[in-house]
């Protein structure tokens, strides 16, 4: 018997794979080739277009501007800065001289005048007039007025005690208390006992009759 051809089966399986994978492979290669071409174009553009333009701008614009700055602008600016610094130093020196030889003597003179006219008289007044008067008043208060006033206050208190408190105590308070304890309170208790024994029950009975509803 003849054996069947085994090479036909793998060929049937490879064709679908080739048909599916080949377009993606070709697209990838095309994109890779396109990227390389764009990269090469950009490199060539930078090398032969941008670089010459940059070199030309450096020599035609940047270097002339640097030369203009160093040659024409910087020296006048340096001179102007030195002139302003010189003026500043002169003004500072002038202000220092004015403060030292004008303002300081004026302030010293004003302070001296104020010291002579105000501080010295006030110091003398305080030291030789007010302070001795204050010490004298304090001594008089401590040694004369305060003891006298304290003694007078104590005497006035004792006088008021014996002329007002003691008479009120023995003439009014104690008799009123004795009358309250020995007369008014027993009389009141007796009246209350008589009331409770005679008229109290009658009034309570009448109150119970008239105040209870339904009767």
């Amino acid at each position: 018997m003849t054996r069947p051809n085994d090479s036909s089966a793998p060929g049937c399986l490879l064709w679908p794979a080739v048909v599916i994978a080949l377009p993606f492979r070709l697209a990838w290669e095309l994109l890779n080739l396109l990227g390389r071409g764009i990269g090469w174009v950009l490199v060539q553009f930078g090398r032969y277009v941008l670089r010459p333009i940059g070199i030309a701008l450096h020599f035609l614009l940047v270097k002339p501007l640097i030369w203009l700055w160093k040659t024409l602008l910087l020296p006048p600016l340096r001179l102007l800065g030195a002139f302003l610094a010189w003026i500043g130093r002169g003004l500072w020196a002038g202000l220092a001289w004015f403060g030292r030889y004008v303002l300081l003597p004026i302030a010293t003179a004003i302070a001296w005048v104020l010291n002579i006219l105000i501080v010295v008289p006030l110091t003398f007044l305080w030291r030789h007039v007010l302070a001795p008067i204050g010490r004298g008043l304090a001594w008089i208060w401590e040694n004369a007025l305060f003891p006298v006033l304290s003694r007078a206050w104590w005497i006035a208190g004792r006088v008021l005690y014996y002329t007002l408190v003691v008479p009120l105590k023995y003439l009014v308070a104690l008799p009123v208390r004795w009358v309250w304890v020995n007369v008014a309170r027993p009389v009141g208790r007796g009246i209350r006992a008589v009331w409770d024994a005679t008229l109290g029950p009658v009034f309570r009975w009448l109150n119970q009759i008239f105040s209870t509803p339904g009767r």
Side-chain angles (χ1 to χ4, degrees), residues 184-203:
R185 185 181 292 176
V187 171
R189 289 178 178 174
I191 293 173
R192 182 176 180 181
V194 172
W195 174 268
D196 291 337
T198 58
L199 297 177
V202 176
F203 277 96

Side-chain angles (χ1 to χ4, degrees), residues 3-27:
R3 300 177 67 179
N5 191 5
D6 297 333
S7 63
S8 61
C12 294
L13 296 176
L14 287 175
W15 278 107
V18 171
V19 172
I20 295 173
L22 184 60
F24 290 100
R25 181 67 180 180
L26 292 176

Side-chain angles (χ1 to χ4, degrees), residues 12 14 27-28 38 42 51 55 73 90 96 113 138 149 157-158 168 198:
C12 294
L14 287 175
W28 172 254
I38 293 173
L42 291 177
R51 185 179 179 185
I55 295 173
L73 297 178
V113 171
L149 291 176
R158 302 302 293 178
L168 288 176
T198 58

Side-chain angles (χ1 to χ4, degrees), residues 85-99:
W86 179 78
I87 291 177
R89 289 193 296 269
L91 289 175
W92 179 255
L95 290 175
W97 182 89
F98 183 76

Side-chain angles (χ1 to χ4, degrees), residues 108-125:
T108 304
I110 292 173
W112 183 81
V113 171
L114 292 176
N115 184 51
I116 294 298
L117 296 179
I118 297 177
V119 177
V120 172
L122 289 179
T123 303
F124 177 82
L125 181 65

